[in-house]
Coordinates of all heavy atoms in Angstrom, one line a residue:
E205 N 143.0 90.0 118.9 CA 141.8 90.9 118.6 C 141.7 91.2 117.2 O 142.7 91.5 116.5 CB 142.1 92.2 119.4 CG 141.8 92.2 120.8 CD 140.4 92.3 121.2 OE1 139.8 93.3 120.9 OE2 139.9 91.4 121.9
P206 N 140.5 91.0 116.6 CA 140.4 91.4 115.2 C 140.6 93.0 115.1 O 140.3 93.7 116.0 CB 139.0 91.1 114.8 CG 138.2 91.0 116.1 CD 139.3 90.6 117.2
P207 N 141.1 93.4 114.0 CA 141.4 94.8 113.9 C 140.1 95.6 113.9 O 139.0 95.1 113.4 CB 142.0 95.0 112.4 CG 141.6 93.7 111.7 CD 141.5 92.7 112.7
S208 N 140.1 96.8 114.5 CA 138.9 97.6 114.6 C 139.1 99.0 114.1 O 140.3 99.4 114.0 CB 138.4 97.6 116.0 OG 139.4 98.2 116.8
Q209 N 138.0 99.7 113.8 CA 138.2 101.1 113.4 C 138.6 101.9 114.6 O 138.5 101.4 115.7 CB 136.7 101.6 113.1 CG 136.0 100.8 111.9 CD 136.7 100.9 110.6 OE1 137.5 101.8 110.3 NE2 136.4 100.0 109.7
P210 N 139.3 103.0 114.3 CA 139.9 103.8 115.4 C 138.8 104.2 116.4 O 137.6 104.4 116.0 CB 140.5 105.0 114.7 CG 140.6 104.7 113.3 CD 139.5 103.6 113.0
D211 N 139.2 104.4 117.6 CA 138.1 104.9 118.7 C 137.5 106.1 118.1 O 138.1 107.1 117.6 CB 138.9 105.3 119.9 CG 139.3 104.0 120.7 OD1 138.7 102.9 120.4 OD2 140.1 104.1 121.7
G212 N 136.1 106.2 118.3 CA 135.4 107.4 117.9 C 135.3 107.7 116.5 O 135.1 108.8 116.0
W213 N 135.6 106.6 115.7 CA 135.8 106.8 114.2 C 134.5 107.5 113.6 O 134.6 108.2 112.7 CB 136.1 105.5 113.5 CG 134.9 104.5 113.6 CD1 134.5 103.8 114.8 CD2 134.1 104.1 112.6 NE1 133.5 103.0 114.4 CE2 133.2 103.1 113.1 CE3 134.0 104.4 111.2 CZ2 132.2 102.5 112.4 CZ3 133.0 103.7 110.4 CH2 132.1 102.8 111.0
D214 N 133.3 107.1 114.1 CA 132.1 107.6 113.5 C 131.4 108.7 114.3 O 130.2 109.1 114.0 CB 131.1 106.4 113.3 CG 130.8 105.7 114.6 OD1 131.3 106.0 115.6 OD2 129.9 104.9 114.5
S215 N 132.1 109.2 115.3 CA 131.4 110.2 116.1 C 131.0 111.5 115.4 O 130.1 112.2 115.7 CB 132.2 110.5 117.4 OG 133.5 111.0 117.0
A216 N 131.8 111.8 114.4 CA 131.5 113.1 113.6 C 130.2 113.0 112.8 O 129.7 114.0 112.4 CB 132.7 113.5 112.7
V217 N 129.8 111.8 112.6 CA 128.6 111.6 111.7 C 127.5 110.8 112.5 O 126.6 110.2 111.9 CB 128.9 111.0 110.4 CG1 129.6 111.9 109.5 CG2 129.6 109.7 110.6
A218 N 127.7 110.7 113.8 CA 126.7 109.9 114.6 C 125.3 110.5 114.4 O 125.1 111.7 114.5 CB 127.1 109.9 116.1
L219 N 124.3 109.6 114.1 CA 122.9 110.1 114.0 C 122.2 109.8 115.4 O 122.6 108.9 116.1 CB 122.3 109.2 113.0 CG 122.6 109.4 111.6 CD1 122.2 108.2 110.7 CD2 122.0 110.7 111.0
Q220 N 121.3 110.7 115.7 CA 120.5 110.4 116.8 C 119.6 109.2 116.4 O 119.3 109.0 115.3 CB 119.6 111.6 117.2 CG 118.8 112.2 116.0 CD 117.6 113.1 116.5 OE1 117.2 113.0 117.6 NE2 117.1 113.8 115.5
S221 N 119.4 108.3 117.4 CA 118.5 107.1 117.2 C 117.2 107.4 117.8 O 117.0 107.9 118.8 CB 119.2 105.9 117.8 OG 120.2 105.4 117.0
A222 N 116.1 106.9 117.1 CA 114.8 106.9 117.6 C 114.7 105.9 118.8 O 115.2 104.7 118.6 CB 113.8 106.5 116.5
R223 N 114.2 106.3 119.9 CA 114.1 105.4 121.0 C 112.9 104.4 120.8 O 111.8 104.9 120.5 CB 113.9 106.2 122.3 CG 114.3 105.3 123.5 CD 114.6 106.3 124.7 NE 113.5 107.1 125.1 CZ 112.5 106.6 126.0 NH1 112.7 105.4 126.6 NH2 111.5 107.4 126.4
D224 N 113.1 103.1 120.9 CA 112.1 102.1 120.9 C 111.3 102.1 122.2 O 111.9 101.7 123.2 CB 112.7 100.8 120.5 CG 111.6 99.7 120.2 OD1 110.4 100.0 120.4 OD2 112.0 98.6 119.9
L225 N 110.1 102.5 122.1 CA 109.3 102.6 123.3 C 108.6 101.3 123.7 O 107.9 101.3 124.8 CB 108.2 103.7 123.2 CG 108.7 105.1 122.6 CD1 107.5 105.9 122.2 CD2 109.4 105.7 123.8
D226 N 108.8 100.3 122.9 CA 108.0 99.0 123.1 C 109.0 97.9 123.3 O 109.8 97.7 122.4 CB 107.2 98.8 121.8 CG 106.2 97.7 122.0 OD1 106.5 96.7 122.6 OD2 105.0 97.9 121.6
A227 N 109.0 97.3 124.4 CA 110.0 96.3 124.8 C 109.7 95.0 124.0 O 110.6 94.1 124.0 CB 109.9 96.0 126.3
R228 N 108.6 94.8 123.4 CA 108.3 93.5 122.8 C 109.2 93.3 121.6 O 109.5 94.3 120.8 CB 106.8 93.5 122.2 CG 105.8 93.3 123.3 CD 104.4 93.4 122.7 NE 104.1 94.8 122.3 CZ 103.0 95.1 121.5 NH1 102.2 94.2 121.1 NH2 102.8 96.4 121.2
P229 N 109.7 92.1 121.4 CA 110.5 91.8 120.2 C 109.6 91.9 119.0 O 108.4 91.6 119.1 CB 111.0 90.4 120.4 CG 110.1 89.8 121.4 CD 109.6 90.9 122.3
G230 N 110.1 92.3 117.9 CA 109.3 92.4 116.7 C 108.4 93.6 116.6 O 107.7 93.7 115.6
V231 N 108.5 94.5 117.6 CA 107.8 95.8 117.5 C 108.7 96.9 117.7 O 109.4 96.9 118.7 CB 106.6 95.8 118.5 CG1 105.8 97.1 118.3 CG2 105.7 94.6 118.3
V232 N 108.7 97.9 116.8 CA 109.5 99.1 117.0 C 108.5 100.2 117.1 O 107.7 100.4 116.2 CB 110.4 99.3 115.9 CG1 111.2 100.6 116.0 CG2 111.5 98.2 115.8
E233 N 108.5 100.9 118.2 CA 107.5 101.9 118.4 C 108.2 103.2 118.8 O 109.0 103.3 119.8 CB 106.5 101.5 119.5 CG 105.3 102.4 119.7 CD 104.3 101.8 120.6 OE1 104.6 100.7 121.2 OE2 103.3 102.4 120.8
V234 N 108.0 104.3 118.0 CA 108.8 105.5 118.2 C 107.8 106.7 118.1 O 106.8 106.7 117.6 CB 109.9 105.7 117.2 CG1 110.9 104.5 117.2 CG2 109.4 105.9 115.8
D235 N 108.3 107.8 118.8 CA 107.6 109.1 118.7 C 108.4 109.9 117.6 O 109.6 109.9 117.7 CB 107.7 109.8 120.1 CG 106.8 109.3 121.1 OD1 105.7 108.8 120.6 OD2 107.0 109.4 122.3
L236 N 107.6 110.6 116.8 CA 108.3 111.4 115.8 C 107.5 112.7 115.8 O 106.3 112.7 115.5 CB 108.3 110.7 114.5 CG 109.1 111.3 113.3 CD1 110.6 111.0 113.6 CD2 108.7 110.7 112.0
T237 N 108.2 113.8 116.1 CA 107.5 115.1 116.0 C 108.2 116.1 115.1 O 109.4 116.2 115.2 CB 107.5 115.7 117.5 OG1 106.9 114.9 118.3 CG2 106.9 117.1 117.5
A238 N 107.4 116.6 114.2 CA 107.9 117.6 113.3 C 107.8 119.0 113.9 O 106.8 119.4 114.3 CB 107.1 117.6 111.9
R239 N 108.9 119.6 114.1 CA 108.9 121.0 114.7 C 110.1 121.8 114.4 O 111.1 121.2 113.9 CB 108.9 120.8 116.3 CG 110.1 120.1 116.9 CD 109.9 120.0 118.4 NE 110.8 119.0 119.0 CZ 112.1 119.3 119.4 NH1 112.6 120.5 119.2 NH2 112.8 118.4 119.9
V240 N 110.1 123.1 114.6 CA 111.2 123.9 114.3 C 112.2 123.7 115.5 O 111.8 123.7 116.6 CB 110.8 125.4 114.1 CG1 112.0 126.3 114.0 CG2 109.9 125.6 113.0
G241 N 113.5 123.5 115.2 CA 114.5 123.4 116.1 C 115.7 124.1 115.7 O 116.0 124.2 114.5
D242 N 116.6 124.5 116.7 CA 117.8 125.1 116.4 C 118.9 124.1 116.1 O 119.1 123.2 117.1 CB 118.3 126.1 117.5 CG 117.6 127.4 117.5 OD1 117.0 127.7 116.4 OD2 117.5 128.0 118.5
V243 N 119.5 124.1 115.0 CA 120.6 123.1 114.8 C 121.9 123.9 114.4 O 121.8 125.0 113.9 CB 120.3 122.1 113.7 CG1 119.1 121.2 114.1 CG2 120.0 122.7 112.4
E244 N 123.0 123.3 114.7 CA 124.2 124.0 114.4 C 124.9 123.4 113.2 O 125.4 122.3 113.3 CB 125.2 123.9 115.6 CG 126.4 124.8 115.5 CD 127.3 124.9 116.7 OE1 126.8 125.2 117.8 OE2 128.5 124.5 116.6
I245 N 124.7 124.1 112.0 CA 125.3 123.5 110.8 C 126.7 124.1 110.6 O 127.6 123.5 110.3 CB 124.3 123.8 109.6 CG1 123.0 123.1 109.8 CG2 125.0 123.4 108.3 CD1 121.9 123.5 108.9
V246 N 126.7 125.5 110.6 CA 128.0 126.2 110.6 C 128.3 126.4 112.0 O 127.6 126.9 112.8 CB 127.8 127.5 109.8 CG1 129.1 128.4 109.9 CG2 127.4 127.3 108.3
P247 N 129.6 126.1 112.4 CA 130.0 126.1 113.8 C 129.8 127.6 114.3 O 130.1 128.6 113.7 CB 131.5 125.9 113.8 CG 131.7 125.0 112.5 CD 130.7 125.5 111.5
G248 N 129.2 127.6 115.5 CA 128.9 128.9 116.2 C 127.7 129.7 115.8 O 127.3 130.7 116.3
K249 N 127.0 129.1 114.8 CA 125.7 129.7 114.3 C 124.5 128.8 114.5 O 124.6 127.6 114.2 CB 125.8 130.1 112.8 CG 126.8 131.3 112.6 CD 126.8 131.9 111.2 CE 127.8 133.0 111.1 NZ 128.1 133.3 109.7
K250 N 123.5 129.4 115.0 CA 122.3 128.7 115.2 C 121.4 128.8 114.0 O 121.2 129.9 113.4 CB 121.5 129.3 116.4 CG 122.1 129.0 117.7 CD 121.4 127.9 118.5 CE 122.0 127.5 119.8 NZ 123.3 126.9 119.5
T251 N 120.9 127.7 113.5 CA 120.0 127.7 112.3 C 118.7 127.1 112.7 O 118.6 125.9 113.0 CB 120.6 126.9 111.1 OG1 121.9 127.4 110.8 CG2 119.7 126.9 109.9
P252 N 117.7 127.9 112.8 CA 116.3 127.4 113.0 C 115.9 126.6 111.8 O 115.7 127.2 110.7 CB 115.4 128.6 113.2 CG 116.4 129.8 113.3 CD 117.6 129.4 112.6
T253 N 115.7 125.3 111.9 CA 115.5 124.4 110.9 C 114.2 123.6 111.1 O 113.8 123.5 112.3 CB 116.6 123.4 110.8 OG1 117.9 124.1 110.8 CG2 116.6 122.6 109.5
W254 N 113.6 123.1 110.1 CA 112.5 122.2 110.3 C 113.0 120.8 110.6 O 113.9 120.3 109.8 CB 111.5 122.2 109.1 CG 110.9 123.5 108.8 CD1 111.3 124.7 109.3 CD2 109.6 123.8 108.1 NE1 110.4 125.7 108.9 CE2 109.5 125.1 108.2 CE3 108.8 122.9 107.5 CZ2 108.3 125.7 107.5 CZ3 107.7 123.5 106.8 CH2 107.4 124.9 106.9
T255 N 112.6 120.2 111.6 CA 113.3 119.0 112.1 C 112.2 117.9 112.5 O 111.1 118.2 112.7 CB 114.1 119.2 113.3 OG1 113.2 119.3 114.5 CG2 115.0 120.4 113.3
Y256 N 112.7 116.7 112.5 CA 112.0 115.6 113.2 C 112.7 115.4 114.5 O 114.0 115.2 114.5 CB 112.0 114.3 112.4 CG 111.2 114.4 111.1 CD1 111.7 114.3 109.9 CD2 109.8 114.5 111.2 CE1 111.0 114.3 108.7 CE2 109.0 114.4 110.0 CZ 109.6 114.4 108.8 OH 108.8 114.4 107.7
N257 N 112.0 115.5 115.6 CA 112.6 115.4 116.9 C 113.8 116.2 117.2 O 114.7 115.9 118.0 CB 113.0 113.9 117.2 CG 111.8 113.0 117.3 OD1 110.7 113.3 117.1 ND2 112.1 111.7 117.5
G258 N 113.8 117.4 116.6 CA 114.9 118.4 116.9 C 116.2 118.2 116.1 O 117.1 119.0 116.3
G259 N 116.3 117.2 115.3 CA 117.6 116.9 114.7 C 117.6 117.1 113.2 O 116.5 117.0 112.5
L260 N 118.7 117.2 112.6 CA 118.9 117.3 111.2 C 120.0 116.4 110.8 O 121.2 116.6 111.2 CB 119.3 118.7 110.7 CG 119.6 118.9 109.2 CD1 118.3 118.8 108.4 CD2 120.3 120.2 108.9
P261 N 119.8 115.2 110.2 CA 118.5 114.7 109.8 C 117.7 114.2 111.0 O 118.1 114.3 112.1 CB 118.8 113.6 108.8 CG 120.1 113.1 109.3 CD 120.9 114.3 109.8
G262 N 116.4 113.7 110.7 CA 115.6 113.2 111.7 C 116.3 111.9 112.3 O 117.3 111.4 111.7
P263 N 115.7 111.3 113.3 CA 116.4 110.1 113.9 C 116.4 108.9 113.0 O 115.6 108.7 112.2 CB 115.5 109.9 115.2 CG 114.2 110.5 114.8 CD 114.5 111.7 113.9
L264 N 117.4 108.1 113.3 CA 117.6 106.8 112.6 C 116.6 105.9 113.3 O 116.7 105.6 114.5 CB 119.0 106.3 112.7 CG 119.3 104.9 112.3 CD1 119.0 104.7 110.8 CD2 120.7 104.5 112.5

Side-chain angles (χ1 to χ4, degrees):
E205 286 278 303
S208 60
Q209 304 292 341
D211 283 347
W213 67 289
D214 59 351
S215 57
V217 289
L219 289 164
Q220 52 162 342
S221 284
R223 199 157 67 86
D224 185 358
L225 306 168
D226 193 315
R228 282 176 293 170
V231 182
V232 174
E233 188 168 4
V234 302
D235 285 334
L236 193 70
T237 301
R239 59 179 167 88
V240 174
D242 282 340
V243 296
E244 190 174 304
I245 297 169
V246 172
K249 285 184 183 166
K250 290 254 174 294
T251 300
T253 311
W254 294 22
T255 74
Y256 290 114
N257 293 3
L260 176 74
L264 171 62

